[in-house]
Amino acid sequence: MHAIRANRSTRTAVALAAAALVAAAGIMVGATVASAAPHPNPHPHPTPSPTASGTPSPKHSQLDVTKLSISNKVIAHGKHHGDTVTGVLTDEGTGVASEKVTLEARSGVKPRWTVVATGTTDSTGTVGFTVSPKVKTQYELVFAGDSTFKASESNVITLLRVK
């Protein structure tokens, strides 16, 4: 094996290039992790008003916490193609029945969330919608909450144009 001689400026340039590659890889990993994380609340729901002590009023602290999941499945039969967007509303792992859930969507350059459909959860807490996006569209499910359960939102999924 032969040693390759390089002057100081070449070694410095190579070290800087290696550092830039390591930094870029770190940024890419960070971006991937950030895109997989739950999205910040794009349309916040009202928060409980604090009492004089600065804590939420007892009425609001007694609400059960809910979780809303979202998934999709491509459907294709004959000439019709679309996606089924399904969600499950749960409270401590148990499905919450008979609750109103909205499907919201956004697309385009300056997207705003709009309600595209409303459904009611079944006995297992499941609700489903069929969509056929014409352009790349993001979807999320929103449960507004009620006198028993706190509001919750699903993560956001992105569906491509249906061909």
Side-chain angles (χ1 to χ4, degrees):
M1 180 176 219
H2 297 286
I4 299 175
R5 291 193 175 260
N7 62 27
R8 175 176 266 165
S9 63
T10 302
R11 288 192 306 257
T12 302
V14 168
L16 288 173
L21 285 173
V22 168
I27 290 170
M28 289 304 292
V29 168
T32 302
V33 170
S35 67
H39 294 279
N41 191 345
H43 36 72
H45 298 284
T47 56
S49 57
T51 61
S53 66
T55 59
S57 63
K59 175 185 167 197
H60 293 289
S61 63
Q62 294 175 0
L63 295 179
D64 289 347
V65 176
T66 58
K67 179 180 177 185
L68 188 55
S69 63
I70 188 170
S71 63
N72 72 294
K73 180 179 180 183
V74 176
I75 53 174
H77 52 83
K79 294 184 179 184
H80 175 75
H81 297 274
D83 281 274
T84 299
V85 176
T86 305
V88 180
L89 180 66
T90 57
D91 169 32
E92 296 182 2
T94 303
V96 179
S98 304
E99 294 291 350
K100 182 177 153 184
V101 174
T102 59
L103 175 67
E104 297 187 3
R106 68 180 179 181
S107 60
V109 178
K110 293 184 178 179
R112 293 185 188 264
W113 288 105
T114 57
V115 175
V116 294
T118 301
T120 303
T121 57
D122 65 13
S123 61
T124 65
T126 303
V127 63
F129 304 94
T130 301
V131 296
S132 298
K134 303 295 182 215
V135 296
K136 181 178 171 182
T137 305
Q138 292 183 316
Y139 293 96
E140 77 169 347
L141 297 172
V142 177
F143 170 60
D146 61 17
S147 61
T148 305
F149 299 103
K150 287 186 178 182
S152 61
E153 297 179 6
S154 68
N155 285 336
V156 175
I157 60 171
T158 302
L159 301 180
L160 302 177
R161 178 177 73 88
V162 175
K163 295 180 180 184

